[in-house]
Amino acid sequence: MSATLSSEKTAAALRRSARVSAELLLVLLMAAVALWLLGRTWPVVWPLIVGLLLTTLTWPFARFLRNRGWRPAPAAALVTVAFLLVGTGILALIAVPVASQSGQLADGVVEGIGRLREWAAGPPLNISDAQITGAFDAAVDRIENSAGSVVTTAVTGVSTVFSGLITAVLALFLMFFFLKDGPRFLPWLARQLPGRLATDVPVVAERCWDTLGSFVRSQAFVGLLDAVFIGIGLWILDVPLVLPLAVLTFVSAFVPIVGAVFAGFVAVLIALVSNGLTDALIVLAIIIAVQQLEGNVFQPMIQSRGLGLHAAVVLLAVTLGGSLAGVVGSLLAVPVAALLAVIWNYLREQLSDPGEGPEQLDRTPEPEQGPASGGPDADAPVPA
């Protein structure tokens, strides 16, 4: 005989489901409002984020100078100027080889297209020259018919470059102020917040700062190792544009998984166009070997504490960030996911019941030696 459903329990379950659904909708609404406000203030938020990332990269040098007796302002100024000089030198390393080898690369591209046409004309594709010429003429006609769109795209590109320059200048100024005044932020923040927030928010901010700094510095070092090893391989094979490709490998390291694939694809393509199929396969083998060495040796050693994120989570975060905000989204996806994980873990610690398990998730974290605690590393900056 089957059991009869209880009307009281069913009604209670429905009421609970309705309440949870309403609360979830309210949370999603507030998240949508926050994202809308973020989009409206993005011209200000983006330079702030870039300045914060640059600060995490350059803070160890500023801290070294301050520990040697330098005042905050001169130390921050010297580090900012040195960073600007290094950045200018990197841009020169990219621009000069590209300009000097552009003719050779163009000839290689033309030759590669010719080889591709010869391959397409044979089996199994058997595409005739008439078909290729027809497709080329159709593409030219389409470009001519969309001349207005091309002009609009060019104007948009110029506007993007100008906006990028403004962002870079603002980020440099913000980096200087973060390096100079960042250590004062957490004590100031603790004084402004009431009650328990005066403890919780600075602790979360300090953990987020530690996680962000660990991510940026470890990715920079791993990217430097990748760039050196892959650059040496390209130099031995006499592949053109070695320095630009090495710099591209370094920059792409800040976008985990996807960045390495993109930089490797560009290097193999240039090797194929300029040196032929054999060298392209050798370059591919070098890149795979370096990536395996990075994933199994370098990163576990350098990023010992890690971000606490599974590789699948990293891949999904990069994919989602790229689909929502393009290159910027791919760049920020993993740090944002890591910061959300830090916040979630802290909430779990505070909301868990006492004695819940052997890990004692609710234990109060010991004060870290950072700017909020006034410990030995009290001058570690956590800028707003």
Side-chain angles (χ1 to χ4, degrees), residues 101 104-105 107-109 111-112 115 233-242 267-283:
Q101 301 182 32
Q104 177 185 352
L105 186 61
D107 295 338
V109 170
E111 182 180 354
R115 292 180 182 177
L234 296 175
W235 176 72
I236 292 175
L237 294 173
D238 198 23
V239 176
L241 304 177
V242 174
V268 171
L269 180 62
I270 292 180
L272 176 63
V273 168
S274 60
N275 292 29
L277 180 61
T278 302
D279 285 357
L281 293 176
I282 296 176
V283 170

Side-chain angles (χ1 to χ4, degrees), residues 69-134:
W70 285 60
R71 300 293 298 170
L78 178 61
V79 172
T80 303
V81 172
F83 178 81
L84 184 60
L85 293 176
V86 171
T88 304
I90 291 176
L91 290 178
L93 288 177
I94 297 176
V96 173
V98 169
S100 62
Q101 301 182 32
S102 59
Q104 177 185 352
L105 186 61
D107 295 338
V109 170
V110 172
E111 182 180 354
I113 293 175
R115 292 180 182 177
L116 182 62
R117 291 186 62 175
E118 293 176 0
W119 173 78
L125 297 180
N126 296 319
I127 300 176
S128 64
D129 288 342
Q131 291 175 306
I132 297 177
T133 304

Side-chain angles (χ1 to χ4, degrees), residues 268-359:
V268 171
L269 180 62
I270 292 180
L272 176 63
V273 168
S274 60
N275 292 29
L277 180 61
T278 302
D279 285 357
L281 293 176
I282 296 176
V283 170
L284 178 61
I286 292 174
I287 292 174
I288 292 176
V290 171
Q291 294 299 329
Q292 290 298 317
L293 193 63
E294 171 205 324
N296 297 304
V297 179
F298 294 156
Q299 229 161 7
M301 291 174 57
I302 298 171
Q303 214 171 18
S304 57
R305 295 193 308 176
L307 298 177
L309 298 177
H310 193 272
V313 176
V314 173
L315 180 60
L316 292 175
V318 172
T319 304
L320 179 61
S323 63
L324 293 178
V327 177
V328 174
S330 299
L331 178 64
L332 299 180
V334 176
V336 169
L339 297 184
L340 290 177
V342 169
I343 297 173
W344 171 252
N345 289 334
Y346 185 80
L347 289 176
R348 285 189 60 191
E349 292 176 5
Q350 303 305 313
L351 298 177
S352 298
D353 292 328
E356 183 175 277
E359 295 183 358

Side-chain angles (χ1 to χ4, degrees), residues 27-82:
V27 171
L28 293 176
L29 177 62
M30 294 304 298
V33 171
L35 291 176
W36 179 80
L37 291 175
L38 180 64
R40 299 291 294 180
T41 59
W42 188 249
V44 176
V45 174
W46 177 229
L48 183 66
I49 294 174
V50 175
L52 191 60
L53 293 174
L54 296 180
T55 304
T56 61
L57 191 62
T58 56
W59 169 246
F61 304 103
R63 180 177 56 193
F64 175 81
L65 294 177
R66 292 170 71 136
N67 290 339
R68 296 300 183 276
W70 285 60
R71 300 293 298 170
L78 178 61
V79 172
T80 303
V81 172

